[in-house]
Structures are given as C-alpha cells and as structure tokens.
Amino acid sequence: MTPESHSLTGTGDSALVPPPGCPAHGLGPGGLHRLHEAEDLEELYERLRERYGAVAPVLLHDDVPMWVVLGHSENLHMVSTPAQYCRDSRMWNPLKEGMVKSDHPLMPHIAWQPIASHAEGDEHKRLRGAVSGAMSTIDFRSLRRHIRRHTQRLVNRFCEQGGADLVGDFAEHLPMAVMCELLGMADEYDDRLVEAARDALKGTETAIASHTHVMEVLGRLTTRRRVHPAEDFTTHLINHPAGLTDEEVREHLRLVLFAAYEATVNLLSNVLRVVLTDPGFRAQLSGGQMTVPEAVEQSLWDEPPFSTIFAYFAKQETELGGQRIRQGDGLLFGIAPGNVDPRIRPDLDASMQGNRSHLAFGGGPHECPGQDIGRAIADSGVDALLMRLPDVELDCDEDELRWRSSIASRHLVELPVRFEPKPPQDVTQAPSHAPLPRQRADWHVGAPLPWQTTVVSQPEPAGAWPKPRRPESPRPRPTAADHAAPAPAPASAAAPVSAPEAVRPTGAWQRFLRWWRGY
C-alpha cells in the first residue's frame, strides 16, 4: 500500500510526505496526522480546521484513514441524514480491504453489533422503539429522589474526614448507583461493579474479564425479570411489543449502562471542576445568576463527555464541508471541535446559558435517548453535594490536575478537595449543611393554628414536643372601677366553674380587623 493511497482528499500530493529522517511527530503516510499520537487534540483540530476547513482527513491506529468532521452544521447534517450516512461499519472500505485487523484498538467501538446504535431502517425502529419505550416509563420525580439519597450516602462516607477525591469517591460512583436503581438491580450495586465498568471502558489488560463480570450481572438480571417482573427499566424493555430476545435485552442493558456511566462520570467531574476552579462560575451559582442545570449545559458546550463518536459511514458518494466523500468512507462525529466552531461561537468566553444546540448528545435517528437521565444525575447530584459541602475547595493547584485522554474522551483522573468536617445525615432527608428543625406532623394546611382555639389545659406527657403559645395581648389600662372594692358574692353557693368554650377559628378578615385595632 503506497502512501498516496491513504490520501483521502485524492490529491496524491507526494510533497505532503515528510522527507526521510524528518522528526515531524504524529505524521503518517500522505502527511496526514495520526490522531492517537497527538499530544493536544484541541490544538490539532484547530490546525486541521485552518488547513482543510470543516472536514479534515486523518489517520487512526495502524494508519487507517478516516475523516474527522469539525464543523457544527456539517456534523448535524451528517447525523441527521440517514439516506447518506449510517452507523453500519460493515460497509467501511478499510475494513473490507483488510486494513483493520480484528485486534485493532478501536475495534470494540467500530465493530458492528446487533444493537440500536448500529442498526438502520426497520430494525433500528424496532430496537430503538423498545429502548425509548422503556425510557418513557421512568418517573423523574423518583429518579431525583434516588439521586439525592445516593448522594447523601456517598457524602456520608467522607464528610467527617474533611477531604475527598470527588472523582474516585463521588463522580465514579453516583451514576452507577442510580443506573442500578433504574435497571432494577439495586442489590448488585457495589464497588466491584463500579471498578469493573471503569476497567472495561479503559481498555486495560483486564478489560475483558471486567466486561465479562458486567455481562454476567446483566444476564442474571434479564433471567430474573423474565420470571419475576417489576416496575423497572429492564422489565419494560423485556415486555415491549418489539419482543427482544434475552441476548438483545442484555446487549441493550450493557449499551445503556456503559453509555450513561462513562458520559455522566465525565459530566459530573467537569462541572465540579469548573465550580471549584472558576470563581466567576461559582459566584454566578451562589448568587442565583445561574442555576445548576444551566451550569451543566455550559459544561456540555465547553467540555462534552465524549470528544468524538466512532463512527458514521458514507452510503454513497457525496460531498461534505467541501470534501469529496467516497462511498464506504468513515467519518468521526466531532463533538468537541463542532462545539467550538468559530462560525457559531466566535467568542468562546460568551455564556451559552439556555442554549441546547450543542452536539454532546448527538442528533438525528441515533440521538442519545437517555440524555435527560444524564442531565438529572449531574444537576441533582452537584446541587445536593454543594448543599452538603458549601465550603468545599480544591485541595491542589489547578495546574496539578491530570486527565486521561483518548480520541473518544477526556477523563479527569482525580479532583482532591477539602472542607470543614461535617456529621453524616439521614439519607431520607433533603441534603443540607445545617441540622434540620424537627417537623410538626400534627398540623396541616387549613387547620387552625394553636392560638386560634382555646382548649382546656391538660398536663403534657413527659418528653412531649412543646406546643407553641401565642404571646398574650397587652392588658388595657386600669380604670377607677378597677380599684373599687369587689362586690360581695351572693349568699348562695358559688356556681361551679365550667371549662371555657372553644373559640371558632377566625377568618382572614377578622384577623385583619384584630390587627388593625391593635389586638
């Protein structure tokens, strides 16, 4: 295979090939950049944009050619035009020509699988319909309650220590705990499952064993819900009219679990990092100029959970961003570079509050169906954490923070923080940095207040909650008659003293008159 054959532009310009011995780093055949060797992908994307425009030719591992889409509108056109672009990698030219081996590092991302994210046409409608139908049964009020309670549990683990790593101790646990609740396997949630999911996504030497453990858990869940249905996502996925097989159910549970886990871990970490390192950002949150959901959307613009998505494939010869795209060419969905396209964001420091046109959750037929779950975990989790730890601060210099980067994503390794030690809280209570007052359970809206009804005084049992008393009204000034001798009592025996009659609750008008007259 000659270097010229890798030139996706079709120019065959031999001048682009570095001369022998050239120390140029990251350049492959045809002078194209190897994405996996780039030290700074953001900088590389901008250089490619300046040179090629909205769509640029690049190389993957083993010098496999690929296009990366850098323009915002070009990305939206690609994902929203299924007649021209699809997710079926079986038509990818390098794969058909034998350039992509079975052990290629990106094969797990690109290899076709019988799941909704790779299917097309009627099969896509069937599988996607089952997933979307199961998603529609989620009660978001209950979801946010689960998020707050799991946040409380996680914060209780380290709140007395005065310090923590908000990535390893919080962000990497909360999404898995919540997703286990939604899928119907709350009892399966433990540190081992979190470690297995994290390891499987890293692609380490033990990734296959970790992936096997997760699939075994999901397999047991599928079998259990076939026999014992419940009100959870898995049961609704099984019972959907699409009639998914056990294997299809298990594969889609894996897809939902892994996609939601990795994306939300990155989103949580990114939002917390900005809150801790950007004084202006935190001041807007504290001052009410920005809500936590708005902060989440800003983060989805500036640092999306996934930088790129593998991959889309041209179903026919076409043109995109001024480049000739051949049938069978592969294209990377460029989320991060598309979000900073200068045609839509000439000023990257400008606020994007209220603008949801970012590419973080894709678009078109394959748009992420669980994006609202990710948003809920991020905004409710961050809000609850800041309520528990309002004085939390970064416990290192900002330039000491480290990331684990790949073509697909940029993952914060750790986020060390410090705060004043706090006592644990009841997970069923709303998160708060101060003790909550005891609630009165014997009063409800519409019932008379204690001072609106006169009752016979009764001794209170020991340990009873003291009932509030209305302050006594000021006594009127004494008159001359008040100082006169009391009239003698009648000769007959004194009448027995009766208990005071209950006073009818006063209405709003009567209370106003009493206030106006000074009573």
Side-chain angles (χ1 to χ4, degrees):
M1 185 69 66
T2 62
E4 286 75 9
S5 67
H6 288 75
S7 177
L8 295 178
T9 59
T11 61
D13 187 0
S14 60
L16 295 177
V17 182
C22 177
H25 180 71
L27 293 180
L32 301 184
H33 285 272
R34 297 184 175 107
L35 289 185
H36 58 287
E37 292 184 358
E39 296 180 359
D40 188 337
L41 274 173
E42 293 181 5
E43 179 187 1
L44 175 59
Y45 287 147
E46 293 311 307
R47 283 192 283 140
L48 291 173
R49 195 195 309 272
E50 183 178 352
R51 179 177 179 182
Y52 295 103
V55 180
V58 293
L59 297 174
L60 303 180
H61 302 74
D62 299 337
D63 290 338
V64 174
M66 180 73 76
W67 295 99
V68 58
V69 185
L70 307 171
H72 187 273
S73 62
E74 287 76 13
N75 273 296
L76 282 180
H77 174 77
M78 179 179 67
V79 300
S80 304
T81 314
Q84 296 179 353
Y85 305 96
C86 69
R87 298 292 310 278
D88 189 345
S89 62
R90 291 174 296 184
M91 66 170 54
W92 189 22
N93 289 331
L95 184 64
K96 293 191 297 184
E97 294 169 3
M99 294 182 63
V100 183
K101 307 302 181 183
S102 59
D103 59 348
H104 192 278
L106 298 179
M107 204 59 180
H109 300 278
I110 297 177
W112 183 86
Q113 301 172 56
I115 53 178
S117 59
H118 289 170
E120 299 294 325
D122 291 341
E123 183 66 3
H124 174 261
K125 291 180 180 179
R126 181 180 78 90
L127 298 174
R128 171 84 177 202
V131 174
S132 299
M135 289 281 185
S136 68
T137 65
I138 295 174
D139 179 357
F140 274 80
R141 185 169 178 268
S142 296
L143 171 63
R144 292 183 182 275
R145 183 171 63 251
H146 289 314
I147 296 168
R148 288 192 294 269
R149 289 186 177 181
H150 282 295
T151 298
Q152 290 279 57
R153 290 189 180 98
L154 291 172
V155 175
N156 282 346
R157 289 184 178 185
F158 55 76
C159 63
E160 296 178 290
Q161 301 172 11
D165 167 20
L166 291 186
V167 173
D169 296 333
F170 181 72
E172 291 187 340
H173 285 266
L174 182 61
M176 182 62 72
V178 175
M179 291 306 299
C180 285
E181 290 278 0
L182 291 181
L183 298 186
M185 56 179 194
D187 293 340
E188 299 279 3
Y189 167 71
D190 56 19
D191 290 345
R192 184 185 178 194
L193 187 60
V194 173
E195 291 292 339
R198 185 166 50 186
D199 187 53
L201 291 167
K202 286 180 182 178
T204 63
E205 295 180 356
T206 57
I208 295 178
S210 296
H211 183 271
T212 300
H213 173 70
V214 174
M215 293 305 293
E216 288 174 352
V217 171
L218 297 178
R220 290 195 297 269
L221 173 64
T222 302
T223 302
R224 186 164 63 247
R225 286 294 176 257
R226 284 283 188 194
V227 180
H228 303 291
E231 282 297 320
D232 53 42
F233 178 87
T234 302
T235 300
H236 290 293
L237 188 64
I238 291 173
N239 293 337
H240 192 273
L244 271 62
T245 65
D246 281 1
E247 181 180 1
E248 289 174 332
V249 170
R250 188 170 61 251
E251 288 297 326
H252 283 87
L253 290 178
R254 176 186 63 84
L255 176 66
V256 169
L257 183 65
F258 277 170
Y261 176 70
E262 177 71 3
T264 312
V265 168
N266 289 344
L267 181 57
L268 273 171
S269 302
N270 293 339
V271 174
L272 288 170
R273 179 187 62 81
V274 176
V275 168
L276 293 170
T277 58
D278 188 338
F281 198 90
R282 189 165 188 172
Q284 284 185 299
L285 275 179
S286 302
Q289 295 94 344
M290 179 189 292
T291 64
V292 175
E294 288 173 335
V296 170
E297 294 302 320
Q298 183 70 43
S299 178
L300 289 170
W301 272 104
D302 297 335
E303 197 161 13
F306 291 113
S307 306
T308 59
I309 295 293
F310 298 93
Y312 281 77
F313 306 93
K315 299 169 70 174
Q316 56 184 287
E317 185 165 326
T318 183
E319 182 178 313
L320 184 65
Q323 301 284 13
R324 174 194 172 194
I325 309 298
R326 298 176 303 161
Q327 181 180 359
D329 277 358
L331 304 96
L332 295 179
F333 175 35
I335 299 172
N339 276 355
V340 295
D341 186 343
R343 293 175 297 177
I344 64 163
R345 291 187 71 185
D347 181 7
L348 294 180
D349 294 327
S351 172
M352 302 301 286
Q353 291 185 35
N355 189 335
R356 284 193 171 189
S357 59
H358 52 73
L359 303 174
F361 295 114
H366 295 289
E367 183 177 10
C368 175
Q371 56 186 278
D372 289 334
I373 297 176
R375 284 188 172 101
I377 295 175
D379 65 56
S380 294
V382 170
D383 185 54
L385 177 75
L386 295 180
M387 285 298 297
R388 285 291 304 273
L389 307 173
D391 59 339
V392 64
E393 296 179 357
L394 189 65
D395 197 24
C396 69
D397 292 333
E398 184 178 353
D399 56 9
E400 295 179 15
L401 295 176
R402 297 177 295 110
W403 280 264
R404 185 177 66 251
S405 299
S406 68
I407 301 174
S409 66
R410 187 168 179 257
H411 184 89
L412 187 62
V413 176
E414 59 182 358
L415 189 62
V417 296
R418 63 178 180 273
F419 48 85
E420 286 297 318
K422 307 286 191 301
Q425 288 187 7
D426 183 351
V427 298
T428 63
Q429 297 294 328
S432 171
H433 58 273
L436 295 177
R438 182 172 176 178
Q439 301 295 313
R440 292 179 51 206
D442 58 346
W443 186 86
H444 58 85
V445 175
L449 295 172
W451 57 78
Q452 292 175 342
T453 304
T454 303
V455 296
V456 178
S457 177
Q458 296 289 343
E460 296 180 353
W465 182 256
K467 297 180 180 179
R469 308 283 186 185
R470 187 186 183 188
E472 295 183 359
S473 301
R475 295 181 179 180
R477 292 183 177 181
T479 62
D482 295 323
H483 295 285
S492 59
V497 179
S498 60
E501 296 181 354
V503 179
R504 296 178 60 187
T506 57
W509 177 247
Q510 286 79 7
R511 293 198 299 274
F512 173 77
L513 290 178
R514 287 175 60 84
W515 171 80
W516 180 259
R517 293 168 180 168
Y519 293 126

